[in-house]
Amino acid sequence: MGLPIVYIINHAFKPLGELFAFPPKFFVIDPTLDNFKSILKATATSDIHISRYVFNSLFVTIIVIILNILISTMGAFALSKFNFKGKNTMLEINNMALMFVSVAVTIPRYLIIEFLGIQNTYWAHILPGLAMPVGLFLIKQFIDQIPNALVEAAYVDGASDLTVYRKIIIPLIKPAIATTSILAFQTVWNSVESSTMYIDNESIKTLAFYMNTLANNTNVVAGQGMAAAAALIMFIPNIVLFVILQSRVMNTMALSGIK
């Protein structure tokens, strides 16, 4: 599992000769910073500073994670602890959604964005990221582990649904929230779909899109080095977030597998 990470790091520091070496070399022999310097030179000549793309990605990612957690936890709480008409149908619809890859819903998603008239806005980045069936599924499975007697005792003491949600459910499902946060972060941070399909205004496109086009818009030889460095730059936040939250993620997987 660690080898791809080691490869990405080594690949980013390879000079062009090693990038095109045959047979390919796993470890870098003569490390260089030329690939990163090429990215800095390319961004220096850009009409829009790279900090703008970084801000866009961070802003969109943070908003999506917050809203995703709010929607997933509230929906999972209702599906797990409440009884209402259509509950099982809604749960099955969510589970069916797990079967669809993002490419399968590209056209319907575009039609919805166009119908709402939110092209060239931050909402075009945010709205598609809010639908995360796997997050709802994981959190619902986690809430199922919470004894009904605990929830009922809170209601007997006069707690409202919102109080039970804030003071009982949320504190007990922090591992599942951490896992959902990582999944949401990876999905949004690495996505180029929204910038490609819904955004024409360059100033609100994301860092992932910029890094992708930066490497593709140069010649094939130089572009490979920039692509390797860009891949490492985009990967670092993912691994840092996982390292910070990995203990909670492991706890989620263990408890989710009990049932």
Side-chain angles (χ1 to χ4, degrees), residues 76-122:
F77 175 42
L79 291 172
S80 178
K81 299 304 181 185
F82 293 171
N83 291 316
F84 54 90
K85 187 177 181 180
K87 168 183 173 179
N88 293 331
T89 302
M90 294 176 65
L91 184 58
E92 291 303 321
I93 291 174
N94 181 79
N95 294 341
M96 287 175 60
L98 294 171
M99 298 187 298
F100 293 92
V101 295
S102 59
V103 176
V105 295
T106 299
I107 295 177
R109 188 174 288 174
Y110 177 82
L111 294 176
I112 293 173
I113 296 294
E114 185 180 34
F115 175 77
L116 294 176
I118 56 176
Q119 302 101 316
N120 291 313
T121 67
Y122 283 112

Coordinates of all heavy atoms in Angstrom, one line a residue, residues 76-122:
A76 N -28.8 10.4 8.0 CA -28.5 9.1 8.6 C -29.2 8.9 10.0 O -29.7 7.8 10.3 CB -27.0 8.9 8.8
F77 N -29.3 10.0 10.7 CA -30.0 10.0 12.0 C -31.5 9.7 11.8 O -32.1 8.8 12.5 CB -29.8 11.3 12.7 CG -30.6 11.5 14.0 CD1 -30.7 10.4 14.9 CD2 -31.2 12.7 14.3 CE1 -31.4 10.6 16.1 CE2 -31.9 12.8 15.5 CZ -32.0 11.8 16.4
A78 N -32.1 10.3 10.8 CA -33.5 10.1 10.5 C -33.7 8.6 10.1 O -34.7 8.0 10.5 CB -34.0 11.1 9.5
L79 N -32.9 8.2 9.2 CA -33.0 6.8 8.6 C -32.8 5.7 9.6 O -33.3 4.6 9.5 CB -32.1 6.6 7.4 CG -32.5 7.5 6.1 CD1 -31.4 7.3 5.1 CD2 -33.8 7.0 5.6
S80 N -31.9 6.0 10.6 CA -31.6 5.0 11.6 C -32.5 4.9 12.8 O -32.9 3.9 13.2 CB -30.1 5.3 12.1 OG -29.8 4.3 13.1
K81 N -32.9 6.1 13.3 CA -33.7 6.1 14.6 C -35.1 6.5 14.4 O -35.9 6.4 15.4 CB -33.0 7.1 15.5 CG -31.5 6.7 15.9 CD -31.4 5.3 16.4 CE -30.0 4.9 16.8 NZ -29.9 3.5 17.2
F82 N -35.6 7.0 13.3 CA -37.0 7.4 13.1 C -37.7 6.4 12.3 O -37.1 5.7 11.5 CB -37.1 8.8 12.4 CG -36.6 9.9 13.2 CD1 -36.4 11.2 12.7 CD2 -36.2 9.8 14.6 CE1 -35.9 12.3 13.4 CE2 -35.7 10.8 15.3 CZ -35.6 12.1 14.7
N83 N -39.0 6.3 12.5 CA -39.9 5.4 11.7 C -40.9 6.3 11.0 O -41.6 7.1 11.6 CB -40.6 4.5 12.6 CG -39.7 3.4 13.2 OD1 -38.9 2.9 12.5 ND2 -39.9 3.1 14.5
F84 N -40.8 6.3 9.7 CA -41.7 7.1 8.8 C -42.0 6.4 7.5 O -41.2 5.5 7.1 CB -41.2 8.5 8.6 CG -39.8 8.5 8.0 CD1 -39.6 8.5 6.7 CD2 -38.7 8.5 8.9 CE1 -38.3 8.5 6.1 CE2 -37.4 8.5 8.3 CZ -37.2 8.5 7.0
K85 N -43.0 6.8 6.8 CA -43.4 6.1 5.6 C -42.3 6.4 4.5 O -41.9 7.6 4.3 CB -44.8 6.6 5.1 CG -45.3 5.9 3.9 CD -46.7 6.4 3.6 CE -47.3 5.7 2.4 NZ -48.6 6.2 2.0
G86 N -41.9 5.4 3.8 CA -40.9 5.6 2.7 C -39.5 5.5 3.2 O -38.6 5.7 2.4
K87 N -39.3 5.2 4.5 CA -37.9 5.2 5.0 C -37.1 4.1 4.3 O -35.9 4.4 3.8 CB -38.0 4.8 6.5 CG -36.6 4.5 7.1 CD -36.8 4.1 8.6 CE -35.5 3.6 9.2 NZ -35.7 3.2 10.6
N88 N -37.6 2.9 4.1 CA -36.8 1.8 3.5 C -36.6 2.1 2.0 O -35.5 1.8 1.5 CB -37.5 0.5 3.7 CG -37.6 0.0 5.1 OD1 -36.7 0.3 5.9 ND2 -38.6 -0.7 5.5
T89 N -37.6 2.8 1.4 CA -37.4 3.1 0.0 C -36.3 4.1 -0.2 O -35.5 4.0 -1.1 CB -38.7 3.7 -0.6 OG1 -39.8 2.7 -0.4 CG2 -38.6 4.0 -2.1
M90 N -36.3 5.1 0.6 CA -35.2 6.2 0.6 C -33.8 5.5 0.8 O -32.9 5.9 0.1 CB -35.5 7.3 1.6 CG -36.7 8.1 1.3 SD -37.1 9.3 2.6 CE -35.7 10.4 2.4
L91 N -33.8 4.6 1.7 CA -32.5 3.9 2.0 C -32.0 3.1 0.8 O -30.8 3.1 0.4 CB -32.6 3.1 3.2 CG -31.3 2.4 3.7 CD1 -30.3 3.4 4.0 CD2 -31.6 1.5 5.0
E92 N -33.0 2.4 0.2 CA -32.6 1.6 -1.0 C -32.2 2.5 -2.2 O -31.3 2.1 -2.9 CB -33.8 0.7 -1.4 CG -34.1 -0.4 -0.4 CD -32.9 -1.3 -0.2 OE1 -32.2 -1.6 -1.1 OE2 -32.7 -1.7 1.0
I93 N -32.8 3.6 -2.3 CA -32.4 4.5 -3.4 C -31.0 5.0 -3.2 O -30.2 5.1 -4.1 CB -33.4 5.7 -3.5 CG1 -34.8 5.3 -4.0 CG2 -32.8 6.8 -4.4 CD1 -35.8 6.4 -3.9
N94 N -30.7 5.3 -1.9 CA -29.3 5.8 -1.6 C -28.3 4.6 -1.9 O -27.2 4.9 -2.5 CB -29.2 6.2 -0.2 CG -27.8 6.6 0.2 OD1 -27.4 7.8 -0.1 ND2 -27.1 5.8 0.9
N95 N -28.7 3.4 -1.5 CA -27.8 2.3 -1.8 C -27.6 2.0 -3.3 O -26.6 1.6 -3.7 CB -28.3 1.0 -1.1 CG -28.3 1.2 0.4 OD1 -27.5 2.0 1.0 ND2 -29.0 0.3 1.2
M96 N -28.7 2.2 -4.0 CA -28.6 2.0 -5.5 C -27.7 3.0 -6.1 O -27.0 2.7 -7.1 CB -30.0 2.1 -6.1 CG -30.9 0.9 -5.8 SD -32.6 1.2 -6.5 CE -32.2 1.4 -8.2
A97 N -27.7 4.2 -5.5 CA -26.8 5.3 -6.1 C -25.3 4.9 -5.9 O -24.5 5.5 -6.7 CB -27.1 6.6 -5.3
L98 N -25.0 4.0 -5.0 CA -23.6 3.6 -4.9 C -23.1 2.9 -6.1 O -21.9 2.8 -6.4 CB -23.5 2.7 -3.7 CG -23.7 3.3 -2.3 CD1 -23.8 2.2 -1.2 CD2 -22.6 4.3 -2.0
M99 N -24.0 2.3 -6.9 CA -23.6 1.6 -8.1 C -23.2 2.5 -9.3 O -22.6 2.0 -10.2 CB -24.8 0.7 -8.6 CG -25.2 -0.4 -7.5 SD -26.4 -1.6 -8.2 CE -27.8 -0.5 -8.5
F100 N -23.6 3.7 -9.2 CA -23.3 4.6 -10.4 C -22.0 5.4 -10.2 O -21.8 6.1 -9.2 CB -24.5 5.6 -10.5 CG -25.8 5.0 -10.9 CD1 -26.7 4.6 -9.9 CD2 -26.1 4.8 -12.2 CE1 -27.9 4.0 -10.3 CE2 -27.3 4.2 -12.6 CZ -28.2 3.8 -11.6
V101 N -21.2 5.3 -11.2 CA -20.0 6.1 -11.2 C -20.3 7.5 -11.7 O -21.4 7.7 -12.3 CB -18.9 5.5 -12.1 CG1 -18.4 4.1 -11.6 CG2 -19.4 5.3 -13.6
S102 N -19.4 8.4 -11.4 CA -19.7 9.8 -11.7 C -19.9 10.1 -13.2 O -20.8 10.9 -13.6 CB -18.6 10.7 -11.2 OG -17.4 10.4 -11.8
V103 N -19.3 9.3 -14.1 CA -19.4 9.5 -15.5 C -20.8 9.2 -16.0 O -21.4 9.8 -16.9 CB -18.4 8.6 -16.3 CG1 -18.6 8.7 -17.8 CG2 -17.0 8.9 -15.9
A104 N -21.5 8.2 -15.3 CA -22.8 7.8 -15.7 C -23.9 8.9 -15.4 O -24.9 8.9 -16.1 CB -23.2 6.6 -14.9
V105 N -23.6 9.9 -14.6 CA -24.5 10.9 -14.3 C -24.0 12.3 -14.7 O -24.5 13.3 -14.3 CB -24.8 11.0 -12.7 CG1 -25.5 9.7 -12.3 CG2 -23.6 11.2 -11.9
T106 N -23.1 12.3 -15.6 CA -22.5 13.5 -16.1 C -23.5 14.4 -16.8 O -23.7 15.6 -16.6 CB -21.3 13.3 -17.1 OG1 -20.3 12.6 -16.4 CG2 -20.8 14.6 -17.6
I107 N -24.3 13.8 -17.8 CA -25.3 14.6 -18.5 C -26.4 15.0 -17.6 O -26.8 16.2 -17.7 CB -25.8 13.7 -19.7 CG1 -24.7 13.5 -20.7 CG2 -27.0 14.4 -20.4 CD1 -25.0 12.6 -21.9
P108 N -27.1 14.2 -16.8 CA -28.1 14.7 -15.9 C -27.6 15.8 -15.0 O -28.3 16.7 -14.7 CB -28.5 13.4 -15.1 CG -28.1 12.3 -16.0 CD -26.9 12.7 -16.7
R109 N -26.4 15.6 -14.5 CA -25.8 16.6 -13.6 C -25.7 18.0 -14.3 O -26.0 19.0 -13.8 CB -24.5 16.1 -13.1 CG -23.9 17.0 -12.0 CD -22.7 16.3 -11.4 NE -23.0 15.2 -10.6 CZ -22.1 14.4 -10.1 NH1 -20.8 14.6 -10.3 NH2 -22.4 13.3 -9.3
Y110 N -25.2 17.9 -15.6 CA -25.1 19.1 -16.4 C -26.4 19.8 -16.6 O -26.5 21.0 -16.5 CB -24.4 18.8 -17.7 CG -24.2 20.1 -18.6 CD1 -23.2 21.0 -18.4 CD2 -25.2 20.3 -19.6 CE1 -23.1 22.1 -19.2 CE2 -25.1 21.5 -20.4 CZ -24.0 22.3 -20.2 OH -23.9 23.4 -21.0
L111 N -27.4 19.0 -16.9 CA -28.8 19.5 -17.2 C -29.3 20.2 -15.9 O -30.0 21.3 -16.0 CB -29.7 18.4 -17.7 CG -29.4 17.8 -19.0 CD1 -30.3 16.7 -19.3 CD2 -29.4 18.9 -20.1
I112 N -29.1 19.7 -14.8 CA -29.5 20.3 -13.5 C -28.8 21.6 -13.3 O -29.5 22.6 -12.9 CB -29.3 19.3 -12.3 CG1 -30.2 18.1 -12.5 CG2 -29.6 20.0 -11.0 CD1 -30.0 17.0 -11.5
I113 N -27.5 21.6 -13.4 CA -26.8 22.8 -13.3 C -27.3 23.9 -14.2 O -27.4 25.1 -13.8 CB -25.3 22.6 -13.5 CG1 -24.7 21.6 -12.4 CG2 -24.5 23.9 -13.4 CD1 -24.7 22.1 -11.0
E114 N -27.5 23.5 -15.4 CA -28.0 24.5 -16.4 C -29.4 25.0 -16.1 O -29.7 26.2 -16.2 CB -28.0 23.9 -17.8 CG -28.4 24.8 -18.9 CD -28.4 24.1 -20.3 OE1 -28.7 22.9 -20.4 OE2 -28.1 24.8 -21.3
F115 N -30.3 24.1 -15.6 CA -31.7 24.4 -15.3 C -31.7 25.4 -14.1 O -32.5 26.3 -14.1 CB -32.4 23.1 -14.9 CG -33.8 23.4 -14.4 CD1 -34.9 23.7 -15.3 CD2 -34.1 23.4 -13.0 CE1 -36.1 24.0 -14.8 CE2 -35.4 23.6 -12.5 CZ -36.4 23.9 -13.4
L116 N -30.8 25.2 -13.1 CA -30.7 26.1 -12.0 C -30.0 27.4 -12.3 O -30.1 28.4 -11.5 CB -29.9 25.4 -10.8 CG -30.6 24.2 -10.2 CD1 -29.7 23.5 -9.2 CD2 -32.0 24.5 -9.6
G117 N -29.3 27.5 -13.4 CA -28.7 28.7 -13.8 C -27.5 29.1 -13.0 O -27.3 30.3 -12.7
I118 N -26.8 28.1 -12.5 CA -25.6 28.4 -11.6 C -24.3 28.2 -12.3 O -23.3 28.0 -11.6 CB -25.7 27.6 -10.3 CG1 -25.8 26.1 -10.6 CG2 -27.0 28.1 -9.5 CD1 -25.8 25.3 -9.3
Q119 N -24.2 28.1 -13.6 CA -23.0 28.1 -14.3 C -22.1 29.3 -13.9 O -22.7 30.4 -13.7 CB -23.1 28.0 -15.8 CG -23.9 26.8 -16.3 CD -25.3 27.2 -16.6 OE1 -26.0 28.0 -15.9 NE2 -25.8 26.7 -17.8
N120 N -20.8 29.1 -13.9 CA -19.9 30.2 -13.6 C -20.1 30.8 -12.2 O -19.9 32.0 -12.0 CB -20.0 31.3 -14.7 CG -19.4 30.9 -16.0 OD1 -18.4 30.3 -16.1 ND2 -20.2 31.1 -17.1
T121 N -20.5 30.0 -11.3 CA -20.6 30.4 -9.9 C -20.0 29.3 -9.0 O -19.8 28.2 -9.5 CB -22.1 30.6 -9.4 OG1 -22.8 29.3 -9.4 CG2 -22.8 31.5 -10.4
Y122 N -19.7 29.6 -7.8 CA -19.2 28.6 -6.9 C -20.1 27.5 -6.6 O -19.7 26.3 -6.3 CB -18.8 29.3 -5.6 CG -17.5 30.0 -5.6 CD1 -17.4 31.4 -5.5 CD2 -16.2 29.4 -5.8 CE1 -16.3 32.1 -5.6 CE2 -15.1 30.1 -5.9 CZ -15.1 31.5 -5.8 OH -13.9 32.1 -5.9

